Amino acid sequence: MKRNLLSVAALLFGTLFLFMGNGLQGILLPVRGNLEGYATTTLGLLGTSWAGGFVIGCLIAPKIVRRVGHVRAFSGFISIIAIIALVSGIIIDPVWWVVLRAVTGFSTAGTSMIIESWLNERASNESRGAIFSLYIGITLLGVVGGQMMIPLEDVRTPVLFMICGIFYCIAMLPTTLSTAASPQPLKAVRLDLPALYRNSPVSCLGILLVGIANGAYGTLGAGLSDTNIAVMMSATIFAGAVMQLPAGRLSDRIDRRYVLAAMSGIAALAGLLIFLFHPTSPALLIGLVVLYGAVANTLYPIAVAHANDFAASEDFVKVSGGLLLLYGIGTMIGPTLSGPVMSAITPHALFLVTAIAHVLITVYAIIRSRIRAAVPASDRDAYTTIPTGTSQMLTPQSMSLADRGAGKPPETEKSPESGDPAVKFG
């Protein structure tokens, strides 16, 4: 175990700085855009273009890596991200920012897929869980660390953009200087919506709606308050991380759809309170946002676990990877939809959009629980923590690293509806 962890220590060190850059740049652009007077609709397009680029990157990046190799592809992708971070601090223009943000999303997908496949290659069966958990922790720490850089410098200057570029360059070094053999070629995941829906209607629709809500908040939440922006956004991530374990354990014991419905209902309530009362006190606003983040950030991994409950173990990566891409589509819709709503009503109307999405999840999960029986607790896939957010989306390669199929042999899986073998994906 110790030897396996040491072999990926340098790579994880680089990952920390990659996500620090992602976290800082993800909050810096909307904050600077607010100060420049950009319309909320325009700021929403920043998140839409990033998510669109990320989804396309998940589909196309494996072909680039197979053609030029992991090291060259990684260096190329991260060089592009660093250049864009620096250019964004020089060219203060909303149109350019939207276009460049799409390229950043595409390149971020490429760098993340390479890191995750590299970790997967170095992990043994004994160390896979520890390495995956450590990787998740580092991504969360990196995003929060990057966001907390905001108060250290005036966002009207290009200094913070330059710091983003420095972070990205540091992230490049461990992989570029490594003498270790490159991992096996990346595998692209095919998005099959009909198969995803047949496997689990709740997970399919639920993750799309979660993507809409998380994409909207992750992109536009920074515009809710002029003070404590970094604290508010970081507290949301921390609250979601703390809530992962209790929510996951609860979903392992009772019907996951009930947990989805309850968590979504609480998220909807918190969002409606913010929308209706427009809290001006930073403490009250942060408190409600923390409650929102604590429950909203548990929905994606619970929905993935529910989908895997109904899938054959050899299809876990395909199902989870397809759902991740569906989540990416949702994060494209969320900011695009929320921007005009916030401009027409009030900035707090962001939470009206998220509340509607979460209410739909609650209603649909309850309806489906009356139609389809739950998988017995003894036959369920084990819950795995998976962070979500516009600056920390994982790629389909992470599903292999998580080793979702380790605990349940395919021959014992049954569909609770008919007793037939579990749904095959693809």
Side-chain angles (χ1 to χ4, degrees):
M1 175 76 72
K2 182 178 180 180
R3 184 166 56 252
N4 286 329
L5 290 175
L6 287 175
S7 68
V8 297
L11 183 59
L12 291 173
F13 177 77
T15 300
L16 174 65
F17 282 91
L18 174 64
F19 280 89
M20 286 181 69
N22 288 346
L24 176 55
Q25 191 176 14
I27 193 174
L28 177 58
L29 290 174
V31 170
R32 177 65 182 271
N34 268 324
L35 294 177
E36 295 291 336
Y38 296 162
T40 308
T41 301
T42 301
L43 297 179
L45 290 176
L46 293 175
T48 300
S49 61
W50 188 93
F54 189 94
V55 170
I56 295 173
C58 287
L59 299 173
I60 297 179
K63 299 178 182 178
I64 298 175
V65 176
R66 282 195 293 268
R67 182 171 182 175
V68 304
H70 285 72
V71 175
R72 290 179 180 176
F74 185 83
S75 300
F77 285 138
I78 208 165
S79 295
I80 292 171
I81 298 173
I83 291 170
I84 288 175
L86 296 174
V87 170
S88 297
I90 299 173
I91 303 177
I92 310 300
D93 181 84
V95 176
W96 273 104
W97 277 11
V98 170
V99 174
L100 294 176
R101 197 68 179 141
V103 181
T104 297
F106 179 91
S107 300
T108 299
T111 57
S112 297
M113 292 178 82
I114 291 170
I115 290 172
E116 289 159 11
S117 65
W118 214 304
L119 292 173
N120 189 43
E121 191 89 352
R122 298 292 176 266
S124 64
N125 290 334
E126 293 78 15
S127 65
R128 190 176 306 278
I131 289 177
F132 181 73
S133 298
L134 185 58
Y135 174 60
I136 296 301
I138 285 174
T139 63
L140 293 172
L141 181 63
V143 171
V144 171
Q147 291 176 344
M148 295 305 292
M149 299 291 293
I150 285 289
L152 302 182
E153 183 61 45
D154 186 354
V155 297
R156 295 177 179 85
T157 70
V159 172
L160 289 174
F161 291 97
M162 296 170 67
I163 293 176
C164 283
I166 293 172
F167 285 158
Y168 288 132
C169 290
I170 295 174
M172 187 192 312
L173 294 177
T175 304
T176 304
L177 300 177
S178 174
T179 59
S182 297
Q184 295 298 315
L186 299 176
K187 295 180 180 179
V189 174
R190 181 167 57 92
L191 181 60
D192 188 341
L193 291 179
L196 280 172
Y197 190 82
R198 288 195 303 270
N199 176 74
S200 175
V202 168
S203 296
C204 188
L205 181 62
I207 282 181
L208 178 65
L209 291 169
V210 170
I212 291 174
N214 288 4
Y217 176 74
T219 301
L220 300 171
L224 291 176
S225 174
D226 294 331
T227 60
N228 299 315
I229 294 172
V231 173
M232 184 181 74
M233 301 300 288
S234 299
T236 304
I237 296 175
F238 270 125
V242 170
M243 193 64 183
Q244 292 281 324
L245 186 57
R249 286 184 173 178
L250 182 62
S251 75
D252 284 340
R253 288 169 171 76
I254 66 175
D255 191 335
R256 297 195 204 273
R257 291 166 295 190
Y258 294 153
V259 182
L260 276 175
M263 295 297 175
S264 297
I266 296 172
L269 177 61
L272 286 175
L273 289 175
I274 296 174
F275 169 66
L276 293 175
F277 296 104
H278 297 186
T280 55
S281 166
L284 179 58
L285 177 60
I286 291 175
L288 288 173
V289 166
V290 165
L291 174 63
Y292 171 84
V295 291
N297 285 324
T298 66
L299 300 178
Y300 179 87
I302 293 175
V304 171
H306 178 68
N308 284 335
D309 288 341
F310 292 93
S313 59
E314 64 268 23
D315 291 332
F316 282 180
V317 174
K318 292 181 181 179
V319 171
S320 300
L323 290 174
L324 188 146
L325 294 179
L326 193 60
Y327 174 85
I329 294 173
T331 60
M332 295 168 58
I333 299 173
T336 305
L337 181 64
S338 300
V341 173
M342 294 171 68
S343 297
I345 304 177
T346 171
H348 291 87
L350 164 66
F351 284 98
L352 175 62
V353 175
T354 65
I356 292 173
H358 289 130
V359 166
L360 291 175
I361 295 173
T362 299
V363 172
Y364 192 61
I366 293 174
I367 292 174
R368 287 297 306 178
S369 69
R370 300 292 186 269
I371 298 174
R372 189 182 197 182
V375 174
S378 59
D379 294 335
R380 293 180 190 170
D381 173 44
Y383 174 89
T384 298
T385 299
I386 306 173
T388 53
T390 54
S391 296
Q392 57 181 134
M393 287 172 60
L394 300 182
T395 74
Q397 306 299 317
S398 64
M399 299 302 117
S400 297
L401 180 61
D403 196 22
R404 299 299 295 253
K408 186 169 60 174
E411 63 269 20
T412 64
E413 298 172 26
K414 300 289 181 181
S415 166
E417 292 184 292
S418 61
D420 296 330
V423 176
K424 293 287 185 178
F425 180 83

